[in-house]
Amino acid sequence: MNDVTVQRASIANTDQARAPESWKLLVVDDDEDVHGVTRMALQDFSLAGGSLDLLHAYSGEESVQIMRERTDIAVILMDAIMETDDAGLEAVRIIREELGNQLVRIILRTGQPGQVPERQVITQYNINDYKAKDELTASKLFTVVYTAVGSYRDLMAMERNRIGLEKVIESSASLLEEHSLLRFAQGVLEQLSALLRLGNDAVIVRRAVGGIVAVRDKEQASILAGTGRYADLAGKSLVSGLDPAIAQRILTGLARKTTCMDSDHFLHYLRTSGHLELVLYIDAPHAFDAAQRRFIELFCRNVGLCFEYLTMNDRLNRSQKELILMLSEAIEMRSAETGNHVRRVAEYSALLARLYGLSNRDVELLRMSAPLHDVGKVAIPDAVLKKPGRHTEEESRIMQSHANIGGDLFAGHELEVLQAAGIIARQHHERWGGGGYPEGKSGEDIHIFGRIVALADVYDALLSMRCYKDAWSQEDALAHLAEQRGQHFEPKLVDLLLDNLSQFQDIARRLAD
């Protein structure tokens, strides 16, 4: 990634798109008197509730250094001639091209217009205005700066709109991934704030601009997502997460099922056909006019449909997961093994997948499909499945057949989770060094899902009591895994388990039999 990309990313990911306590103006001039006159002319400046905060540089080089360190400067008043005849223009070039800052508004000022021709400067350098110092009276300077700050505000509103739109698009393109509902909600808040121009700078986060999407489902109200000063409250209850006065406003909106627009806040209530209640609450720096209210209502109505779809999808996934767990536990009960074994294997597998670096989507897919690793045992006779002693050669052959039975059961299925379950069922008894069953695969020929569940299954089985053995101690189980590193199990997976053992032990305690 080059410097320009880094700088643009820095600008895009700051909160500077919100309304500021003060707009930042950088005065660049080697004449101290110019700094003083500028300060006097702009002392009463105010735009959208924000005053003007002046920063000072006395050379082109110093101005570049300041711009390297800050991305919240709205306007630069740049002297053309300072330490060199082209110091100002060179600083402009670096700010635009090397730093990649296309948002700051740059006004070039010069006391020697003939030495710095206006047409040449305008066509060759990316500046926003050009003024001779003798034409910038106090009144005109105020007007020029006011216009430039307004332009910067509009650009930042567009930038924030773009960021919000990216979040909405990202969530809509990955609806099955974990937390997509949260990303969508945050994108909605960013979009609405930008479209209504509810601020432009991160400084205001402490007092004014922010938004909450609260959801009430089965009478439990919680915060789904937030921006601004509410950004870290996702998942918290209204009572514990919010100022009591704001929480009461939202609870009142839920009770009355009404929309409220006051001088300092906006609250919109929405109920979808799926019995999902949403409250969108935004701190507002000013009252909304009739056109804005109509826009908000239309926006929220359409967003509500998206929320309903996402929520239905989330519930479908949870229902699917519970059905898989119930089926898996029923199969485990046939072999007199603990029902929580499949839940632990699912969580161990998801943790290993995350530590291994798999995508969030694959982590969740593995969590849902891993419980079905022994689904083929449904076809194994009780006499073999529940036998307390050692199996005969024929009984071992019958027992091992559960891998192919499970794989065949899901072969050709269209659902992704069942396709994954088929892979796991068939391959979780393969061995990294070869010699496993049913196909004798080895190394990376074994699907990563099969390699992960192989380790998770054995780790839990060693620590659990079975009809044919007592539970092993933690020390003996870990020694066995270390011994089988590179033989039965992929070395990297064994290392990840051993290096993060406390997380696996937490799962074992949480899902103890």
Side-chain angles (χ1 to χ4, degrees):
M1 182 179 289
N2 59 36
D3 290 342
V4 173
T5 305
V6 170
Q7 182 69 8
R8 285 174 178 164
S10 174
I11 291 172
N13 288 294
T14 65
D15 286 326
Q16 63 182 331
R18 298 185 178 94
E21 290 175 336
S22 62
W23 303 99
K24 305 300 185 293
L25 170 68
L26 177 60
V27 182
V28 187
D29 203 295
D30 57 0
D31 186 343
E32 178 61 47
D33 290 340
V34 172
H35 290 264
V37 169
T38 303
R39 187 184 301 109
M40 290 287 293
L42 300 174
Q43 59 184 346
D44 297 326
F45 185 97
S46 177
L47 176 63
S51 60
L52 202 61
D53 184 10
L54 269 63
L55 293 83
H56 301 275
Y58 295 88
S59 68
E61 183 177 350
E62 186 181 356
S63 72
V64 169
Q65 184 57 37
I66 291 174
M67 294 302 295
R68 288 186 191 278
E69 298 170 355
R70 306 191 61 140
T71 59
D72 61 345
I73 293 175
V75 179
I76 301 175
L77 291 175
M78 178 75 73
D79 189 13
I81 301 174
M82 290 177 285
E83 66 268 36
T84 63
D85 288 348
D86 64 347
L89 293 176
E90 177 62 13
V92 171
R93 186 194 65 77
I94 294 174
I95 291 168
R96 294 300 197 204
E97 297 178 9
E98 294 185 18
L99 303 186
N101 190 331
Q102 304 298 325
L103 299 174
V104 64
R105 303 295 84 192
I106 301 178
I107 301 168
L108 193 71
R109 299 196 294 184
T110 179
Q112 304 175 50
Q115 191 169 341
V116 187
E118 179 176 353
R119 178 170 297 185
Q120 177 184 342
V121 169
I122 290 293
T123 56
Q124 295 184 11
Y125 294 87
N126 186 2
I127 65 169
N128 305 106
D129 206 346
Y130 178 102
K131 299 293 182 184
K133 290 183 180 179
D134 57 9
E135 69 174 300
L136 276 179
T137 62
S139 176
K140 287 186 177 180
L141 179 59
F142 186 96
T143 300
V144 167
V145 172
Y146 192 93
T147 301
V149 171
S151 176
Y152 175 82
R153 177 195 60 178
D154 293 342
L155 286 172
M156 294 311 300
M158 293 171 61
E159 178 68 5
R160 190 176 178 195
N161 191 9
R162 182 191 64 79
I163 295 170
L165 184 58
E166 283 182 355
K167 291 180 181 178
V168 172
I169 293 173
E170 179 187 7
S171 63
S172 64
S174 55
L175 298 183
L176 297 181
E177 290 189 15
E178 186 181 16
H179 305 314
S180 63
L181 188 60
L182 172 60
R183 286 201 305 274
F184 181 78
Q186 289 173 332
V188 165
L189 293 175
E190 294 285 353
Q191 277 282 82
L192 190 57
S193 295
L195 292 169
L196 294 175
R197 287 188 178 178
L198 294 179
N200 305 290
D201 201 285
V203 184
I204 200 66
V205 166
R206 297 192 301 272
R207 71 170 195 181
V209 174
I212 303 171
V213 177
V215 179
R216 186 174 72 176
D217 189 12
K218 295 183 179 179
E219 299 303 317
Q220 297 297 317
S222 62
I223 299 171
L224 175 62
T227 59
R229 63 185 176 127
Y230 308 117
D232 299 324
L233 301 183
K236 294 185 178 180
S237 69
L238 294 183
V239 176
S240 64
L242 290 175
D243 176 271
I246 296 176
Q248 188 56 51
R249 288 175 183 172
I250 294 176
L251 290 172
T252 300
L254 284 168
R256 296 180 179 176
K257 307 183 188 308
T258 57
T259 292
C260 173
M261 298 189 186
D262 211 332
S263 60
D264 63 347
H265 72 275
F266 151 64
L267 184 150
H268 184 81
Y269 170 86
L270 178 68
R271 179 169 180 166
T272 70
S273 59
H275 307 294
L276 174 68
E277 292 180 303
L278 300 175
V279 170
L280 176 62
Y281 179 92
I282 298 179
D283 293 336
H286 53 76
F288 296 115
D289 58 32
Q292 288 177 313
R293 294 187 183 196
R294 287 194 299 273
F295 169 77
I296 292 170
E297 291 171 358
L298 177 62
F299 186 88
C300 290
R301 190 180 308 123
N302 285 280
V303 165
L305 296 175
C306 296
F307 270 113
E308 182 173 4
Y309 171 77
L310 287 168
T311 303
M312 289 174 60
N313 182 75
D314 181 62
R315 288 178 176 173
L316 179 62
N317 281 339
R318 282 188 281 139
S319 298
Q320 188 179 45
K321 181 179 178 181
E322 286 303 312
L323 285 172
I324 289 172
L325 286 171
M326 289 172 62
L327 172 62
S328 303
E329 289 170 355
I331 294 169
E332 293 298 321
M333 289 173 65
R334 272 202 67 228
S335 57
E337 296 180 359
T338 61
N340 271 351
H341 166 69
V342 295
R343 293 180 182 267
R344 289 192 297 268
V345 170
E347 293 305 315
Y348 292 154
S349 298
L351 176 55
L352 280 169
R354 180 172 58 80
L355 295 171
Y356 197 87
L358 300 190
S359 67
N360 288 338
R361 184 185 182 89
D362 281 344
V363 169
E364 290 308 305
L365 185 59
L366 188 52
R367 177 182 274 116
M368 292 184 66
S369 55
L372 291 169
H373 62 281
D374 278 336
V375 68
K377 287 182 179 180
V378 72
I380 304 301
D382 283 352
V384 175
L385 188 65
K386 298 181 180 181
K387 182 178 180 179
R390 182 180 295 274
H391 287 136
T392 66
E393 184 175 341
E394 176 61 17
E395 288 171 338
S396 292
R397 184 189 64 76
I398 294 173
M399 190 67 183
Q400 290 179 5
S401 70
H402 83 277
N404 270 330
I405 291 171
D408 292 343
L409 183 64
F410 299 120
H413 207 287
E414 293 183 358
L415 284 181
E416 190 176 29
V417 65
L418 297 184
Q419 291 176 2
I423 292 171
I424 292 168
R426 195 184 303 277
Q427 297 189 17
H428 75 288
H429 283 294
E430 301 288 2
R431 301 170 66 93
W432 177 261
Y437 66 86
E439 298 175 328
K441 291 178 178 290
S442 63
E444 293 187 357
D445 286 340
I446 307 168
H447 193 284
I448 183 59
F449 284 6
R451 293 173 353 231
I452 287 175
V453 175
L455 178 57
D457 184 32
V458 171
Y459 173 66
D460 191 71
L462 292 175
L463 296 173
S464 302
M465 186 173 67
R466 294 288 186 265
C467 62
Y468 53 86
K469 75 171 189 69
D470 292 328
W472 288 27
S473 69
Q474 181 80 224
E475 182 179 17
D476 288 343
L478 296 179
H480 177 77
L481 298 185
E483 179 184 329
Q484 292 297 311
R485 180 183 182 277
Q487 298 181 49
H488 191 162
F489 310 113
E490 179 181 353
K492 179 178 177 179
L493 288 171
V494 174
D495 293 343
L496 289 173
L497 190 152
L498 297 178
D499 292 344
N500 299 274
L501 183 60
S502 63
Q503 296 185 57
F504 290 88
Q505 292 174 328
D506 288 343
I507 292 172
R509 282 190 290 269
R510 176 165 52 87
L511 296 174
D513 296 327

